[in-house]
Amino acid sequence: MAKREYSFYPGCSSQSKASSVNYLKSTQTICEELDIQLNEIPDWNCCSASIGYGGGGELPRISLSARNIALSQQAHGQQDIVATCAACWLATREAKERIEHDGEVRSGIDAALGEIGIKIEGEMPKTRHMVEVLIEDVGYEEMQSKVKKPLEGLKIAGYVGCQTNRPFGIDGESYENPKYLDKMIEIVGAEPVEKYEKKASCCGGALMFSEPEKSQALVKDIIEAAYDGGADMIVTPCPVCQMNVEVYQGHINKTYGTKFKIPVVYYSTLMAVAFGRNGKDAALDGQMIRATRLEEIAKK
Amino acid sequence: MSNPNQAMVEKYRSNFLKEVEANVEEGHWVKMCMQCGVCSGSCPLGPHWEHPPQEIFMMIRAGKREEVLGSSSMWMCTSCYNCIARCPRGLPITHIMHGLATYAKRLGLQPKTQPTAKFSQLFWSNLTKTGRVNELKLGLSLYFMNGFANGIKTALKMQDVGLGMYKTGRLNPLEILGGHSIKDTGGLQKMLKKAFEIEEAKIAEYKG
Ligand code: SF4
Ligand code: SF4
Ligand code: SF4
Ligand code: SF4
């Protein structure tokens, strides 16, 4: 029997051979270590993130999350829903709030779900970010107790980004200077970049696709600030941030004449390595810019 | 009523604020804005906004319908939630921006070449087809959204990213043949159809 059980909403980007499959892999690894069981929501669908509004209005968008919530209840009762993607977390949580507070939305959603014979029963389960589970349920101490290979000598910029911070925040921390990611860096034995100035600033999100030049300018500043702080790598809790900050470094270098080549990893990858797991379990093979320092530690 | 925009113009003659309150997601909040300007300094793409959020709210009250709905501004929103975290009046600014964008698009008033307007439609169409995002098809349709020649250029420019993703197991060329899907796509589409109908009916109701 696993110690902690949750209903799990993986999100599109973590499916096999999708852009953040490495996030899923490393998350599964740390869940094994921490005795967390994730029960996938059967037949879950995409939540339309924050960018679906060009095609779907309020009700169609909320209905997407409502379907996931109803299916979660059906299969896993009142288990909290856990998401690894910030946008999934946000969309599902916002859907719950809107359904609770707006009678018109509620009746619309009931009707839409009624079309497919499912419904929301009583109180909706909470939707939480994986990071919340780690910090609030598992706790820093227990996480630290699992560390077998401290990531000594590594300096890491904790890039929180927007949506894993605003509007809901993690563990009641401030929006302007959240500390949880720095604490997680410390726990695994590395050193966080102090006063990382771009910690909570935006990478452009989905506009990286539609407005690449404008968004890459934002990412340039995020990376520059990490280098300025002496970082060996950047860590993030969000698949969109991870991708945006990692994969366009070549383009940014071409545009700005910079020489960026900084690995961008998930907190789950850091933890998996520190917990003594191998490179594969930590999904180090998913890095486009290889995290060689982590690879070395994993091999030891 | 063949032209939805004309119908709205008639209906709300000279009261754009009412129109926004009735038809735009979270639009009833607009009148709560006290014009402090905090939100306007918060947008990551701030310099590219024709009218920052605070100005948009002022323009809505001043009845500048065409300028607001035809603006590219709302489409510059990155959903960063800076504004929501900071607004002293608690306005859900992010959602109002999305709501204005949705509404403008519904009436066909969005700037015709706005890339985010196109992309967000592509994203929606992509995910509602199978219930899950097909990143490869989404990427390809994105490259080609401005025509074929442009698409080839973008695709070439993006080659290194695609190849890197492929090599690290984060992109599957076979997705072109279908890719990820939920089982109950029929149900999903039925549900969405209903949700659209309800929303349309609500807008129609305010017409009368
Ligand atoms: S937020 Fe992104 S990953 Fe999550 S379900 Fe929506 S589109 Fe898919
Ligand atoms: S844009 Fe980046 S930083 Fe902003 S919400 Fe999205 S992923 Fe987070
Ligand atoms: S921060 Fe809030 S009150 Fe101030 S201008 Fe913006 S919307 Fe209005
Ligand atoms: S969420 Fe949108 S409107 Fe609000 S600060 Fe960010 S970009 Fe500006």
Side-chain angles (χ1 to χ4, degrees):
Chain A
M1 221 344 239
K3 229 193 306 183
R4 299 186 178 87
E5 263 190 72
Y6 303 90
S7 179
F8 184 46
Y9 178 35
C12 314
S13 57
S14 68
Q15 298 170 98
S16 77
K17 302 228 171 140
S19 57
S20 70
V21 59
N22 49 334
Y23 187 14
L24 181 64
K25 175 78 197 159
S26 50
T27 300
Q28 284 164 339
T29 299
I30 62 169
C31 284
E32 268 170 45
E33 293 290 320
L34 297 166
D35 229 359
I36 294 170
Q37 182 175 319
L38 300 176
N39 305 316
E40 185 166 337
I41 300 174
D43 214 36
W44 58 267
N45 55 261
C46 172
C47 65
S48 90
S50 305
I51 191 69
Y53 59 82
E58 180 181 28
L59 211 52
R61 273 184 288 129
I62 294 180
S63 76
L64 288 171
S65 294
R67 180 177 178 275
N68 289 330
I69 295 173
L71 292 175
S72 175
Q73 281 188 315
Q74 221 172 54
H76 311 307
Q78 288 308 100
Q79 278 177 15
D80 286 354
I81 299 170
V82 172
T84 40
C85 163
C88 296
W89 173 52
L90 184 62
T92 315
R93 200 166 150 170
E94 282 183 341
K96 175 179 190 276
E97 288 193 352
R98 204 75 66 84
I99 293 167
E100 279 170 352
H101 296 146
D102 188 327
E104 220 173 316
V105 169
R106 173 84 209 210
S107 64
I109 289 299
D110 285 345
L113 292 181
E115 285 287 297
I116 50 175
I118 58 174
K119 65 172 193 214
I120 287 167
E121 308 264 7
E123 177 88 0
M124 282 171 272
K126 272 203 231 162
T127 301
R128 304 172 66 204
H129 193 281
M130 190 65 205
V131 169
E132 290 183 293
V133 167
L134 294 174
I135 294 171
E136 297 169 5
D137 298 2
V138 176
Y140 292 115
E141 237 170 79
E142 191 175 330
M143 286 192 273
Q144 192 158 27
S145 73
K146 302 283 176 191
V147 173
K148 296 196 180 91
K149 291 180 183 165
L151 310 179
E152 272 157 11
L154 276 182
K155 196 157 183 189
I156 304 178
Y159 175 51
V160 172
C162 315
Q163 295 191 350
T164 326
N165 179 32
R166 298 178 296 266
F168 295 122
I170 298 280
D171 202 27
E173 289 193 344
S174 97
Y175 295 126
E176 308 293 338
N177 187 16
K179 294 272 190 341
Y180 71 90
L181 204 49
D182 291 342
K183 284 189 215 158
M184 290 171 88
I185 294 168
E186 276 171 8
I187 277 175
V188 295
E191 183 193 346
V193 167
E194 255 196 75
K195 305 210 179 77
Y196 177 36
E197 194 203 311
K198 293 291 169 183
K199 181 190 266 187
S201 69
C202 179
C203 67
L207 272 69
M208 182 58 87
F209 297 104
S210 50
E211 299 277 9
E213 286 84 18
K214 297 182 181 75
S215 302
Q216 284 175 18
L218 301 176
V219 170
K220 172 181 168 275
D221 292 345
I222 291 164
I223 297 175
E224 222 152 45
Y227 274 123
D228 287 348
D232 300 302
M233 63 182 70
I234 296 173
V235 65
T236 127
C238 168
V240 184
C241 298
Q242 196 284 333
M243 164 130 175
N244 280 356
V245 180
E246 182 190 28
V247 310
Y248 302 104
Q249 290 186 28
H251 290 203
I252 294 172
N253 288 341
K254 244 184 237 151
T255 312
Y256 296 97
T258 44
K259 293 201 176 67
F260 294 162
K261 200 181 176 197
I262 191 163
V264 185
V265 303
Y266 293 108
Y267 61 90
S268 45
T269 295
L270 281 188
M271 290 171 71
V273 173
F275 290 173
R277 301 292 292 256
N278 64 33
K280 199 158 191 287
D281 292 348
L284 284 170
D285 52 358
Q287 296 299 129
M288 241 172 90
I289 298 177
R290 311 220 50 126
T292 40
R293 305 273 306 268
L294 289 177
E295 285 177 12
E296 284 158 20
I297 299 175
K299 267 190 225 125
K300 259 194 260 169
Chain B
M1 189 260 318
S2 56
N3 182 341
N5 181 41
Q6 204 46 44
M8 290 302 157
V9 171
E10 306 273 315
K11 164 72 179 80
Y12 294 100
R13 193 175 293 287
S14 80
N15 202 335
F16 185 39
L17 177 62
K18 276 224 168 69
E19 179 179 355
V20 167
E21 287 177 339
N23 299 337
V24 171
E25 181 173 347
E26 302 285 54
H28 58 274
W29 281 92
V30 171
K31 60 175 178 298
M32 301 297 291
C33 169
M34 62 178 194
Q35 290 293 310
C36 70
V38 167
C39 55
S40 293
S42 300
C43 302
L45 297 182
H48 305 288
W49 287 63
E50 202 181 347
H51 309 289
Q54 168 217 357
E55 215 171 286
I56 295 266
F57 297 144
M58 188 179 71
M59 290 164 72
I60 291 173
R61 293 169 120 169
K64 301 200 169 165
R65 187 176 188 276
E66 277 65 41
E67 287 100 313
V68 170
L69 294 177
S71 170
S72 72
S73 300
M74 306 80 83
W75 302 98
M76 290 291 160
C77 172
T78 62
S79 308
C80 75
Y81 287 77
N82 267 327
C83 51
I84 292 194
R86 292 176 189 162
C87 172
R89 284 287 175 91
L91 269 79
I93 301 160
T94 317
H95 305 292
I96 305 170
M97 291 303 126
H98 295 176
L100 284 168
T102 308
Y103 189 57
K105 178 125 184 306
R106 206 169 256 180
L107 301 180
L109 297 177
Q110 85 284 7
K112 294 297 167 277
T113 53
Q114 221 304 316
T116 304
K118 287 189 190 175
F119 176 68
S120 93
Q121 177 64 58
L122 286 176
F123 188 87
W124 179 261
S125 308
N126 183 299
L127 80 93
T128 51
K129 206 161 181 184
T130 64
R132 292 187 190 168
V133 168
N134 182 315
E135 291 178 335
L136 184 69
K137 282 190 196 161
L138 179 64
L140 288 176
S141 44
L142 166 73
Y143 302 157
F144 289 93
M145 78 182 182
N146 295 321
F148 188 72
N150 255 321
I152 297 289
K153 244 198 267 162
T154 319
L156 283 175
K157 212 169 124 195
M158 293 298 294
Q159 235 180 8
D160 57 331
V161 173
L163 195 63
M165 299 287 283
Y166 169 68
K167 280 193 190 147
T168 49
R170 292 162 62 185
L171 184 76
N172 181 5
L174 294 177
E175 259 191 44
I176 199 80
L177 304 173
H180 299 290
S181 172
I182 64 169
K183 285 193 217 96
D184 189 18
T185 46
L188 186 93
Q189 279 150 11
K190 232 164 89 185
M191 173 189 84
L192 288 172
K193 185 160 165 269
K194 184 77 189 172
F196 272 111
E197 279 168 14
I198 296 170
E199 218 160 66
E200 291 299 332
K202 184 181 143 194
I203 291 184
E205 186 192 313
Y206 283 107
K207 265 182 235 155

